[in-house]
């Protein structure tokens, strides 16, 4: 292969002493000839185009299962042969069990985990990404849901008193009664019923106090807006 490439460079007017590695590599990708092992040619990376036999171990025996043509990047399965995977399944598709993508990632065609675009979540088989239903968003746990509205309870007290905590719990419980029938059955109807409450509205109550320190109070207040 190198002899063919060097010969082509010399015939093109390049002196032997002036041939560089870059010239040789660039010319090598243009070389094509019939060799002892068959047709010889190279891709842009310098890898030889060739046909490869793919063997698959089945019941402890190596079986010729497919042919791979690197020039066309095509795998052709031999008639009557099915690929067997080490986890016991059969088929042409790489089992998802071989690659466990994290939440928010999907398995692309090269069996690599890729992050889903913003606003999308991975499908159940982790093979693609999909949009969340209308009026829902992609949450950090990889599911689609409703972003809760954060409401802050803030008081300039040294410690969070029992009354303070009880007020927060009562608010949370009363609001949830609007869309959780089980709570209504257990504790009765909401003290403050909200007419025409949008079923997608969720509220997360956040408690903070200053611990009698201005900087702590400021940080707590700002944190409620994050």
């Amino acid at each position: 292969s190198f002899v063919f490439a060097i010969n082509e460079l010399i015939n093109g007017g390049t002196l032997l002493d002036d041939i560089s590695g870059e010239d040789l590599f660039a010319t090598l990708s243009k070389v094509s000839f019939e060799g002892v092992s068959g047709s010889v040619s190279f891709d842009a990376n310098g890898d030889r185009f060739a046909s490869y036999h793919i063997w698959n171990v089945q019941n402890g025996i190596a079986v010729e299962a497919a042919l791979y043509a690197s020039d066309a990047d095509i795998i052709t399965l031999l008639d009557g042969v099915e690929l067997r995977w080490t986890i016991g399944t059969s088929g042409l598709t790489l089992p998802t069990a071989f690659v466990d993508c994290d939440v928010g990632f999907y398995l692309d065609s090269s069996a690599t985990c890729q992050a889903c675009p913003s606003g999308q979540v991975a499908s159940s088989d982790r093979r693609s990404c999909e949009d969340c239903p209308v009026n829902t968003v992609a949450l950090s746990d990889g599911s689609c849901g409703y972003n809760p509205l954060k409401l802050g309870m803030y008081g300039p007290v040294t410690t969070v008193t029992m009354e303070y905590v009880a007020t927060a719990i009562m608010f949370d419980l009363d609001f949830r009664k609007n869309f959780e029938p089980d709570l209504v059955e257990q504790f009765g109807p909401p003290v403050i019923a909200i007419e025409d409450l949008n079923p997608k509205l969720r509220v997360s109550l956040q408690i903070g106090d200053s611990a009698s320190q201005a900087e702590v109070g400021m940080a707590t207040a700002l944190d409620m807006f994050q």
Side-chain angles (χ1 to χ4, degrees):
S1 301
F2 285 108
V3 172
F4 274 85
I6 292 172
N7 182 64
E8 185 169 331
L9 285 169
I10 294 175
N11 288 339
T14 303
L15 297 177
L16 184 61
D17 292 339
D18 293 337
I19 296 176
S20 65
E22 290 78 6
D23 294 333
L24 187 59
F25 182 79
T27 307
L28 189 64
S29 63
K30 304 173 186 177
V31 168
S32 178
F33 63 93
E34 287 297 320
V36 176
S37 59
S39 178
V40 178
S41 59
F42 301 88
D43 62 17
N45 297 317
D47 297 322
R48 179 183 173 182
F49 286 125
S51 295
Y52 299 89
H53 295 264
I54 299 177
W55 295 75
N56 185 222
V57 178
Q58 302 182 4
N59 299 320
I61 301 174
V63 177
E64 187 175 3
L67 297 175
Y68 172 63
S70 60
D71 56 344
D73 194 25
I74 294 176
I75 295 178
T76 303
L77 193 67
L78 298 182
D79 291 338
V81 179
E82 190 173 36
L83 295 180
R84 295 291 301 275
W85 303 97
T86 55
I87 61 173
T89 61
S90 301
L92 295 178
T93 304
L94 180 70
T96 54
F98 282 175
V99 181
D100 186 16
C101 295
D102 292 334
V103 169
F105 288 76
Y106 73 100
L107 192 66
D108 68 8
S109 58
S110 63
T112 302
C113 291
Q114 302 287 351
C116 285
S118 177
Q120 291 189 326
V121 295
S123 57
S124 58
D125 61 1
R126 291 288 200 272
R127 289 287 179 177
S128 61
C129 293
E130 55 192 20
D131 293 327
C132 285
V134 178
N135 296 325
T136 64
V137 296
L139 303 178
S140 58
D141 64 356
S143 65
C144 294
Y146 310 113
N147 253 342
L149 171 67
K150 283 190 177 182
L151 295 181
M153 285 188 63
Y154 174 73
V157 293
T158 301
T159 57
V160 179
T161 63
M162 290 300 295
E163 292 81 3
Y164 195 37
V165 175
T167 301
I169 294 175
M170 289 173 60
F171 170 84
D172 179 70
L173 181 63
D174 200 58
F175 178 78
R176 287 166 53 199
K177 287 180 182 179
N178 287 280
F179 51 85
E180 295 186 27
D182 291 344
L183 290 180
V184 175
E185 183 178 347
Q186 186 174 1
F187 300 106
V191 175
I192 301 176
I194 304 176
E195 295 184 5
D196 299 323
L197 177 65
N198 191 306
K200 301 179 179 63
L201 177 63
R202 297 292 184 272
V203 176
S204 174
L205 194 61
Q206 188 166 329
I207 303 174
D209 72 275
S210 66
S212 296
Q213 301 177 56
E215 63 274 14
V216 174
M218 181 61 72
T220 302
L222 291 174
D223 185 52
M224 292 180 182
F225 293 96
Q226 296 180 359

